[in-house]
Amino acid sequence: MKKASADAKIKLTKNQKLVLKVLTQASQPLGAYTILEELRSYGFKAPLTVYRALEQLAGQGLVHKLESLNSWTICCGEHQANPPVFEICNDCGNVTEQFDRKLVKSLNSMSERSGFIPDRSIIEIHGRCDDCGTDAKLTKGMNNATD
């Protein structure tokens, strides 16, 4: 899911580059205060500095805000302007970014039928990832075997 680096065409400020680097190196989405702590040694003192950089990076399509977690993650870059779907594992915290053209078409049709004009879409699905789901199935199977 991690995009290796920002597109060469996009000019980033020093702060944006630092925030993007922290998110790229993270194994899970991070909140702004966690990012701030990571960047204090670079002179970051206020949350506003991080929030400003995050909003600018989001505007350039390089990061996403996960609303339900109040955290940020790097963009996979494969969906252009269409809304991604985030699968969020409640057990390990892994987040996977997916894209489905049929789902986007269905959402657009739904909005058109109701006359609703969306300004952004955020689709987050919480549950268990394949690894954690497999672990849970194995544990359940082992418990049933002892009955």
Side-chain angles (χ1 to χ4, degrees):
M1 174 169 146
K2 303 252 184 214
K3 192 173 181 180
S5 63
D7 294 334
K9 299 177 230 166
I10 299 174
K11 293 280 188 191
L12 300 177
T13 66
K14 176 186 164 197
N15 288 352
Q16 291 169 349
K17 287 177 187 176
L18 290 168
V19 168
L20 189 61
K21 181 179 177 183
V22 168
L23 284 172
T24 301
Q25 294 174 344
S27 61
Q28 295 181 345
L30 300 176
Y33 282 89
T34 302
I35 296 170
L36 176 62
E37 288 306 313
E38 292 286 325
L39 295 174
R40 284 202 187 275
S41 63
Y42 291 92
F44 281 61
K45 293 182 174 106
L48 183 58
T49 307
V50 174
Y51 281 115
R52 192 174 291 137
L54 286 167
E55 290 296 333
Q56 292 164 345
L57 290 167
Q60 295 175 16
L62 299 174
V63 301
H64 295 290
K65 183 173 185 186
L66 299 172
E67 300 288 339
S68 65
L69 300 177
N70 195 26
S71 62
W72 298 79
T73 190
I74 203 82
C75 176
C76 74
E78 297 175 5
H79 55 82
Q80 291 81 32
N82 295 302
V85 176
F86 296 102
E87 297 171 329
I88 304 168
C89 181
N90 294 329
D91 291 349
C92 70
N94 185 49
V95 175
T96 305
E97 184 176 353
Q98 305 283 347
F99 176 70
D100 184 313
R101 283 183 175 26
K102 289 180 186 176
L103 177 61
V104 170
K105 187 175 179 179
S106 179
L107 290 171
N108 289 339
S109 295
M110 180 178 60
S111 292
E112 286 174 15
R113 283 192 308 271
S114 67
F116 185 77
I117 302 170
D119 58 358
R120 64 190 174 112
S121 296
I122 301 164
I123 305 167
E124 299 179 19
I125 304 169
H126 287 262
R128 283 191 170 146
C129 67
D130 191 42
D131 291 339
C132 293
T134 300
D135 290 347
K137 289 175 195 170
L138 289 174
T139 303
K140 184 177 179 182
M142 289 170 58
N143 289 339
N144 288 342
T146 60
D147 292 341

